[in-house]
Amino acid sequence: QVQLVESGGGLVQAGGSLRLSCAASGSIFRIGAMGWYRQAPGKQREVVAGIRDVGNTNYADSVKGRFTISRDNAKNTVYLQMNSLKPEDTAVYYCNLYPIPIEAYWGQGTQVTVSS
């Protein structure tokens, strides 16, 4: 069973940056593709970015050019560097398998709040 723990969220002003981390209890090298998702109040959860085991990345149009996903297989960790943050980026951010997340793997997420 894989456990995913997100961290790094917080309150930041518009234009600021945050770096999120997702620590996996198992080997993410074996897991394969990983992704970051987010859920804003009153909205459905959406995919933000994904990274394949060989490093290929994909991004939602809304974050292209501002967010960067990366992974460190040796540390079983996936990161999301978020720059030029906007108020509409405010959400709880989660990591999970990509592109099809596993329901049992959803963690508590980490709250990101961007003030205008």
Side-chain angles (χ1 to χ4, degrees):
Q1 181 75 3
V2 173
Q3 286 188 320
L4 303 171
V5 179
E6 302 91 349
S7 63
L11 173 63
V12 64
Q13 288 188 332
S17 298
L18 284 173
R19 188 193 194 203
L20 306 184
S21 298
C22 168
S25 60
S27 169
I28 62 172
F29 181 80
R30 290 201 307 268
I31 292 172
M34 295 290 295
W36 281 96
Y37 303 79
R38 67 186 181 187
Q39 186 167 21
K43 295 187 177 181
Q44 287 190 334
R45 191 174 289 165
E46 62 177 359
V47 64
V48 175
I51 184 166
R52 305 285 180 179
D53 51 1
V54 293
N56 306 70
T57 57
N58 295 93
Y59 297 93
D61 288 342
S62 60
V63 306
K64 278 182 182 177
R66 300 188 297 122
F67 290 11
T68 302
I69 188 172
S70 62
R71 63 191 292 162
D72 186 333
N73 293 336
K75 295 183 178 180
N76 291 334
T77 303
V78 179
Y79 304 97
L80 185 68
Q81 177 66 44
M82 305 187 296
N83 299 327
S84 302
L85 282 161
K86 305 176 180 179
E88 50 264 44
D89 295 318
T90 295
V92 179
Y93 284 71
Y94 305 86
C95 62
N96 207 313
L97 272 61
Y98 173 85
I100 301 175
I102 301 298
E103 188 64 32
Y105 290 178
W106 291 118
Q108 295 298 310
T110 186
Q111 175 71 49
V112 171
T113 303
V114 184
S115 63
S116 57

